[in-house]
Amino acid sequence: MRPYLKETQEVMSFIRNHILKKLLTLMAMVLEVPDEVVQATHAPGGSKTEYIRYMMCEPRPKEESEKYRDIFLSGHTDWGSWTFLFSQPIAALQVLDHTDGVYRWVQHQPNGLVINFGEALERLTGGLFKATIHRVVQPPVSQRHLRRIGVIYFARPADDVELRPLESSPLLKRLGRDKPMDDRVFCMADYLDARKHGWKRYEYDIDRPMDATKHSDFFAGEYPDPEGHKSLGKFDNVAREVYLPVLKAAN
């Protein structure tokens, strides 16, 4: 990847300056707050953890697929604000539909972007914009012999931004969404630290129950901390909750 760092930085810069800014402006319009208030949450240079991930999934033998419940990346929500995925023709991405609790395939859109909401955005809006629950599963039979490549940009608020509802939003106050979602409010940097160490862990693959006698947990283990890093503490002793979707009525 090193020879392509300059090109990678250019892609990140393009998304940040031409797509993310527009999403932040739309967010300001919805929340009925000045544009600069929302733009400030993602001040340029404020995040040291936004990044592009290059993810490659090789075809799996039958035994390994069964071990992981035909899942390449377990159901989860991303920790930042928005996630930008470059659409690709090998089907594997699924999102949870909150009208019926069923995972749906994401259809490929040539030259398109798939954009997910993240946990930070959910907390900045008091749950108005719900984090997208998604996963990567075994492709359909006709594509299982193919290598799947994912290119994903994770946008995040500035490290020092507290993940609480924007206080100046009249809309959030009218909807009763102006209170923090969690008992403990973190800034973005500390929220990442807590999540890496097991805080707010859920089992989202509700349609594929895990049998500890024959299945393995894709997210088992711990994130290694950089040398000299002072963690907020370990949360891994808290049992992972099974997610129960609160279904919305279809319009």
Side-chain angles (χ1 to χ4, degrees):
M1 292 295 291
R2 193 169 295 278
Y4 303 99
L5 283 180
K6 184 176 184 295
E7 184 176 350
T8 300
Q9 291 169 344
E10 290 173 353
V11 171
M12 291 178 65
S13 177
F14 181 88
I15 295 176
R16 166 174 272 284
N17 293 320
H18 296 279
I19 302 176
L20 177 59
K21 279 189 175 181
K22 292 178 181 178
L23 288 175
L24 292 169
T25 294
L26 287 173
M27 177 178 166
M29 294 169 65
V30 171
L31 298 183
E32 302 171 4
V33 299
D35 185 55
E36 58 269 20
V37 170
V38 178
Q39 296 288 344
T41 63
H42 289 66
S47 172
K48 298 182 178 64
T49 60
E50 61 177 3
Y51 68 104
I52 275 188
R53 173 183 291 171
Y54 183 86
M55 188 171 73
M56 186 162 55
C57 298
E58 298 284 0
R60 277 180 174 170
K62 184 173 183 286
E63 297 76 16
E64 188 174 358
S65 290
E66 292 175 350
K67 176 181 177 182
Y68 290 106
R69 298 174 286 168
D70 284 334
I71 297 172
F72 277 93
L73 192 60
S74 304
H76 64 284
T77 50
D78 296 329
W79 300 343
S81 48
W82 279 281
T83 304
F84 302 84
L85 306 92
F86 289 82
S87 185
Q88 47 133 330
I90 300 175
L93 179 64
Q94 295 182 333
V95 298
L96 188 68
D97 187 335
H98 287 282
T99 62
D100 57 12
V102 174
Y103 275 98
R104 308 289 186 195
W105 293 91
V106 176
Q107 184 177 352
H108 170 54
Q109 300 292 335
N111 303 314
L113 282 175
V114 178
I115 302 177
N116 289 341
F117 292 171
E119 296 174 18
L121 180 64
E122 185 173 14
R123 279 154 179 78
L124 288 173
T125 62
L128 179 63
F129 297 158
K130 193 170 181 62
T132 307
I133 300 171
H134 59 291
R135 66 184 180 187
V136 179
V137 300
Q138 180 89 299
V141 175
S142 61
Q143 296 184 322
R144 287 185 185 174
H145 64 290
L146 300 172
R147 171 187 290 170
R148 184 180 188 275
I149 296 175
V151 181
I152 312 157
Y153 170 48
F154 296 88
R156 289 171 176 166
D159 294 340
D160 60 353
V161 170
E162 288 196 343
L163 301 184
R164 63 171 70 244
L166 293 177
E167 296 179 355
S168 57
S169 170
L171 177 69
L172 295 183
K173 290 179 181 178
R174 290 200 304 272
L175 296 177
R177 294 184 176 273
D178 55 337
K179 301 294 187 296
M181 294 180 58
D182 307 308
D183 294 336
R184 186 170 179 180
V185 176
F186 297 98
C187 67
M188 187 70 241
D190 287 346
Y191 185 81
L192 294 175
D193 183 274
R195 289 291 278 114
K196 285 178 180 178
H197 292 94
W199 192 72
K200 291 287 184 181
R201 297 177 65 192
Y202 290 94
E203 171 59 59
Y204 286 115
D205 297 300
I206 50 182
D207 59 338
R208 303 185 186 189
M210 182 173 177
D211 183 343
T213 64
K214 61 181 180 180
H215 296 142
S216 293
D217 183 357
F218 186 89
F219 287 130
E222 296 184 3
Y223 282 85
D225 286 325
E227 184 177 353
H229 175 77
K230 293 184 178 180
S231 172
L232 296 174
K234 301 290 186 181
F235 299 88
D236 298 301
N237 60 334
V238 179
R240 178 177 297 187
E241 298 179 47
V242 175
Y243 177 75
L244 297 176
V246 178
L247 304 183
K248 298 179 180 178
N251 293 327

